[in-house]
Amino acid sequence: MNSIKRKIFLNITAIILIVVIAIGGLSSYLCYKVTFDTLEQTMGEVAKASSNAVSKELDVYKSIASEIGLIPELSKTDITSEGKNAIFNGRTEMHGLKSINTANKEGYVISDSGNTQVVKHLDYFDKSINGEVFVTDALFDESTFEMYYIVSAPLWKDGIYGSSIDGVVILKVDGKTLSDIATDVVIGKEGFGTIIDKEGYTIGHHEYDKVLNLENIVKNYENDGSNKELALLEQKMLKGETNYGVYKNNGIKNLLSYAPIEGTDGWAILVEVPALEYMGTTNLSIIATVILGIISILIAAFMGFRMSNRISKPIIECADRLKLLSEGDLHTEVPKTKSKDETGLLLDSLEKTISNLNTIIQDISYQLGEIVNGDLTNFVDGDYSGDFKPIKDSVVLIIKSLNYLFRNINDSI
């Protein structure tokens, strides 16, 4: 009979468990997803804004190169090297450049020392001699161990835009400029930005040594298998397959957002932030939900136990009393209950049944006892209801038959 109690308890607990898990799980998932989606959007916006900042910075240097290309003195053959250098030095100091120079149409650059450098085979010369303002990939100066990049523009004849091109203006820009821009990328407390070229080399980072050491996460992974998750994610980003992703580094989950930089040859900016910095509150909320769920389940189990006990106890007591009744026990008291529901009705009906059985059996015992004692004058007047009525009729018939029999015997005597 304890199985009834167990079934009630397990069913109540299971229902509450399912409801708590469903509601808690759904709320935790929605909370996590909303936070994650919001963070993805936020980081995407930061990456785009940082990309625009780099583009605008490059546009400034492009404008400088274009403006220098419109200086009429630079296209004249009679200008001395001292005159050119005066112009270059003024612009270099004004705009914080490493150097300015020009190449003629044949691709020759005459330096301050009088040495001639051939640049006609370089991509920036080819682009600008055909009228385009161009920004090269980051380059490494092995003599000074510094990073730089070239911004080139057409040198217009007599400084007239749209006329013939007499050469190319060459601006040498300090590569640290890109790292300064990357350093200005602020997201949270530990987030930072990284500028990479189309090959994955770091060309802008708040840790400038990574730039000077030609850090390339993808190539390092291909060589020694390091930073696998980050390398594979960067590969997808460089291929244009995704703009956002999650990776783990030393067991710490990090979020990474990607945005291409317009006006460059495949440059992009990566914005990275530890997930815990933004997901900490969400994780705390999920943990609190789990704890509340466990507490709710424990409370539900306790309440389910009490409820199952309250429901099953009268049923078990009734079953025990019925077992005694089946063994012929009409004297043990029927358990009492204050419940007004079906369990109360069950016990009340059992009590009435046993009381009626007692009355009928006692009445039959009395009548049969009187018959044994030779008294056939008693009249059965008890109320035998339902299927007990034939018993009364049978007793009455027995008494009548015996009376008739003894009268006939008496008459015969």
Side-chain angles (χ1 to χ4, degrees):
M1 298 307 298
N2 288 334
S3 63
I4 295 175
K5 180 178 180 180
R6 185 167 60 251
K7 287 177 181 178
I8 295 173
F9 169 72
L10 291 178
N11 285 326
I12 293 174
T13 305
I15 291 171
I16 296 176
L17 181 65
I18 291 171
V19 171
V20 169
I21 291 176
I23 295 176
L26 181 61
S27 63
S28 298
Y29 170 76
L30 292 176
C31 180
Y32 180 85
K33 191 174 188 310
V34 168
T35 304
F36 196 84
D37 290 346
T38 302
L39 185 56
E40 179 179 353
Q41 183 178 0
T42 301
M43 289 189 63
E45 293 298 327
V46 172
K48 289 178 182 178
S50 302
S51 171
N52 291 334
V54 177
S55 295
K56 289 179 180 179
E57 184 73 14
L58 295 177
D59 286 342
V60 171
Y61 291 113
K62 287 181 180 180
S63 298
I64 295 171
S66 298
E67 183 267 332
I68 294 174
L70 293 173
I71 298 175
E73 289 81 4
L74 296 179
S75 63
K76 293 179 180 180
T77 56
D78 59 346
I79 186 172
T80 63
S81 59
E82 288 79 7
K84 279 187 178 182
N85 289 335
I87 295 172
F88 293 158
N89 291 337
R91 293 296 195 281
T92 300
E93 185 177 353
M94 181 187 303
H95 301 298
L97 303 171
K98 292 183 74 69
S99 67
I100 301 175
N101 222 320
T102 57
N104 58 26
K105 290 189 291 186
E106 287 74 31
Y108 296 104
V109 179
I110 301 176
S111 64
D112 296 342
S113 61
N115 295 326
T116 301
Q117 180 184 2
V118 181
V119 296
K120 62 181 179 180
H121 61 287
L122 299 177
D123 55 353
Y124 68 83
F125 177 82
D126 182 60
K127 296 285 186 180
S128 294
I129 201 68
N130 289 298
E132 185 178 337
V133 181
F134 186 74
V135 179
T136 68
D137 288 335
L139 306 171
F140 186 72
D141 190 335
E142 295 182 355
S143 62
T144 61
F145 297 100
E146 292 181 342
M147 193 68 66
Y148 68 95
Y149 57 96
I150 298 294
V151 180
S152 61
L155 179 62
W156 298 100
K157 184 175 179 61
D158 298 326
I160 300 173
Y161 180 81
S163 61
S164 61
I165 298 176
D166 270 359
V168 173
V169 177
I170 304 170
L171 272 62
K172 189 174 182 181
V173 183
D174 190 349
K176 199 171 186 304
T177 302
L178 298 177
S179 293
D180 292 338
I181 298 174
T183 302
D184 290 337
V185 176
V186 178
I187 176 168
K189 295 180 180 179
E190 300 182 19
F192 60 90
T194 302
I195 301 173
I196 60 175
D197 63 15
K198 61 184 178 182
E199 300 296 331
Y201 285 99
T202 300
I203 59 176
H205 198 279
H206 65 281
E207 297 178 12
Y208 191 53
D209 287 343
K210 293 187 176 184
V211 177
L212 298 179
N213 292 330
L214 303 179
E215 180 187 64
N216 189 314
I217 300 297
V218 176
K219 292 190 180 297
N220 289 343
Y221 165 68
E222 292 173 351
N223 293 332
D224 57 26
S226 60
N227 291 325
K228 178 180 179 180
E229 289 190 27
L230 176 57
L232 294 178
L233 183 56
E234 280 195 20
Q235 279 183 336
K236 289 184 178 181
M237 290 178 168
L238 290 171
K239 292 177 182 178
E241 296 177 5
T242 183
N243 290 328
Y244 185 78
V246 180
Y247 76 94
K248 282 187 177 181
N249 184 20
N250 296 325
I252 299 175
K253 183 183 289 187
N254 296 279
L255 309 176
L256 188 67
S257 184
Y258 170 95
I261 299 174
E262 294 183 3
T264 63
D265 186 20
W267 292 8
I269 188 162
L270 304 175
V271 176
E272 181 176 339
V273 65
L276 187 61
E277 186 169 336
Y278 281 89
M279 301 297 291
T281 304
T282 302
N283 293 336
L284 183 62
S285 175
I286 293 173
I287 292 173
T289 301
V290 171
I291 293 174
L292 287 175
I294 293 173
I295 294 174
S296 300
I297 292 170
L298 293 176
I299 294 175
F302 174 73
M303 297 300 294
F305 176 78
R306 291 191 61 186
M307 186 179 296
S308 64
N309 189 56
R310 188 166 59 249
I311 294 173
S312 63
K313 183 179 179 181
I315 297 175
I316 294 172
E317 290 177 343
C318 182
D320 291 340
R321 186 62 188 88
L322 282 171
K323 185 172 183 288
L324 293 175
L325 179 62
S326 69
E327 295 170 353
D329 184 351
L330 294 175
H331 304 289
T332 300
E333 185 179 359
V334 176
K336 304 294 183 182
T337 181
K338 295 180 180 179
S339 176
K340 303 298 181 182
D341 57 14
E342 286 79 0
T343 56
L345 179 61
L346 183 64
L347 288 174
D348 289 342
S349 298
L350 177 60
E351 184 176 19
K352 290 179 181 178
T353 299
I354 293 175
S355 176
N356 289 336
L357 283 173
N358 260 319
T359 300
I360 293 171
I361 290 174
Q362 287 174 5
D363 190 34
I364 292 173
S365 297
Y366 171 75
Q367 296 296 339
L368 293 177
E370 291 300 309
I371 291 173
V372 170
N373 294 327
D375 185 356
L376 301 177
T377 62
N378 287 321
F379 181 75
V380 181
D381 55 1
D383 186 12
Y384 288 40
S385 60
D387 290 336
F388 292 114
K389 188 175 180 182
I391 297 176
K392 178 181 179 180
D393 294 339
S394 296
V395 173
V396 171
L397 182 60
I398 290 171
I399 294 173
K400 287 182 178 180
S401 297
L402 288 175
N403 273 312
Y404 178 75
L405 177 62
F406 284 120
R407 278 200 304 269
N408 286 338
I409 292 173
N410 187 49
D411 290 344
S412 296
I413 293 173

